[in-house]
Amino acid sequence: MIFVMPMLSLIIVVAILLAYLPSTVPRKTEAGTEEEGAANQLHEPEEKPLSSLMQFETCWFLINLVVYGLHMALVESFLFIYLLQEFQPSASATLLSASTAVSVVFEIFVFMGCGRLFEKGVDLRLLLGICQLICALRLFLYAALPPSHPELVLLVEPLHGITFAGMWCCSVEYGRRLYPQRHATKAQALLDILYYRVALGGGAFLWGIVLNAEVFTFRAMFQAAAFSMLVWTSIWGAGWILFAQVSAAKRTTKTTSSPMPARLPTILGSSINDNRNNKPTSLEKQQLNEPSDV
């Protein structure tokens, strides 16, 4: 049933999409009438969303998404194995299911509250930094669980609502602001690929190699991941500070190095050099519609 029920649910979702989702999105033109999105796009200039990938702000944001996912892969892929192998008595199937239920319930509240924070204009970089710190705390708490009390994991699972739901909301909102509106779908696909495929998939592979080689125990791995997350949070914050300083220096240099105009225009269009003794020039006379003999 674990495999059959998601399959049936997915079939229902696909049927709803095929039956009710329009193939094109109506858009309002300048005259206020609605036209098909595909026809509208023919008259819109082509934009290049990949050009924004070369900017520091975009690269730093995407790198953080991958690094964050590599740490979350330890929780997503190995938490249940940790609870089954490192505790006496080991965690029951009911406890494992309850831990998932608790994490999902708290996700709902975070998803509902993130929109209000965005409306208030809270800095997304600050929110992502808070998610990183809470993720480090969550990893450390997993390592500190008493070996004889696996049920205490239920006290840690509420943090999943922040470490995943909060991070994902901020990432999606950040991607929406970085990319043009017409490329929102491409931006969402890029985030999905980097986090779920590259980060979580690659993280599960790398942590599995470490476990298979018996270099670290589960507890040591959670401790190492918590420490590395703190280190990355410091590097990530330092990168933004350095970026702000470099940007400010470039703006200052551009302002001070801009040449002054050789001839300063006056209100009438002539220059100060032509306005000796406050006498009007011939150009001023013409602009004032005065006769040349006055």
Side-chain angles (χ1 to χ4, degrees):
M1 294 306 296
I2 291 178
F3 292 100
V4 171
M5 292 303 295
M7 180 189 68
L8 295 177
S9 301
L10 185 58
I11 291 175
I12 295 174
V13 170
V14 172
I16 294 174
L17 292 178
L18 293 177
Y20 297 103
L21 188 67
S23 58
T24 57
V25 180
R27 296 185 180 182
K28 289 188 176 181
T29 61
E30 294 181 359
T33 60
E34 291 187 352
E35 295 182 357
E36 296 295 335
N40 240 359
Q41 291 178 359
L42 296 177
H43 305 285
E44 293 181 358
E46 183 64 24
E47 298 176 0
K48 298 180 180 179
L50 293 180
S51 61
S52 62
L53 293 177
M54 305 304 296
Q55 300 176 1
F56 172 82
E57 186 176 9
T58 306
C59 293
W60 205 231
F61 160 66
L62 296 178
I63 290 173
N64 174 70
L65 185 66
V66 174
V67 174
Y68 194 96
L70 291 175
H71 288 80
M72 286 293 292
L74 180 59
V75 179
E76 300 286 352
S77 301
F78 297 99
L79 177 61
F80 283 4
I81 304 176
Y82 170 56
L83 295 174
L84 291 172
Q85 293 185 0
E86 298 293 323
F87 290 84
Q88 293 296 332
S90 61
S92 62
T94 303
L95 178 59
L96 299 180
S97 302
S99 65
T100 302
V102 171
S103 63
V104 171
V105 167
F106 279 87
E107 279 183 20
I108 297 174
F109 293 105
V110 176
F111 277 125
M112 293 173 59
C114 282
R116 298 176 182 177
L117 293 178
F118 299 156
E119 292 176 355
K120 294 180 179 180
V122 180
D123 191 351
L124 294 178
R125 291 173 293 184
L126 175 61
L127 293 178
L128 286 172
I130 293 175
C131 292
Q132 293 168 358
L133 294 176
I134 295 179
C135 181
L137 174 63
R138 182 186 181 188
L139 292 168
F140 176 78
L141 291 177
Y142 284 140
L145 290 176
S148 58
H149 295 282
E151 66 276 2
L152 293 180
V153 72
L154 298 178
L155 300 179
V156 184
E157 287 305 282
L159 297 179
H160 181 78
I162 299 177
T163 56
F164 171 70
M167 178 277 304
W168 189 246
C169 285
C170 292
S171 299
V172 171
E173 178 67 15
Y174 210 98
R176 186 187 66 82
R177 297 180 184 181
L178 289 177
Y179 282 86
Q181 181 63 31
R182 63 178 299 183
H183 295 297
T185 304
K186 296 178 182 179
Q188 182 66 44
L190 178 61
L191 297 180
D192 289 340
I193 291 172
L194 288 179
Y195 183 77
Y196 287 103
R197 275 66 179 176
V198 176
L200 291 185
F205 182 75
L206 295 176
W207 292 115
I209 292 177
V210 175
L211 278 174
N212 190 51
E214 298 182 353
V215 178
F216 291 105
T217 62
F218 275 104
R219 294 182 182 275
M221 278 205 317
F222 280 113
Q223 291 175 349
F227 177 75
S228 63
M229 176 57 78
L230 291 176
V231 172
W232 168 247
T233 303
S234 302
I235 296 174
W236 193 69
W240 284 119
I241 295 175
L242 181 61
F243 172 70
Q245 293 177 350
V246 172
S247 300
K250 287 183 178 179
R251 289 193 298 267
T252 303
T253 303
K254 185 177 180 181
T255 303
T256 55
S257 62
S258 58
M260 294 294 293
R263 300 167 65 87
L264 298 177
T266 62
I267 299 177
L268 296 176
S270 62
S271 67
I272 293 180
N273 298 331
D274 294 332
N275 202 12
R276 301 180 182 89
N277 299 325
N278 295 327
K279 295 181 179 180
T281 63
S282 58
L283 178 61
E284 294 172 352
K285 295 175 182 179
Q286 295 177 4
Q287 293 177 345
L288 292 174
N289 296 323
E290 295 180 355
S292 59
D293 56 348
V294 176

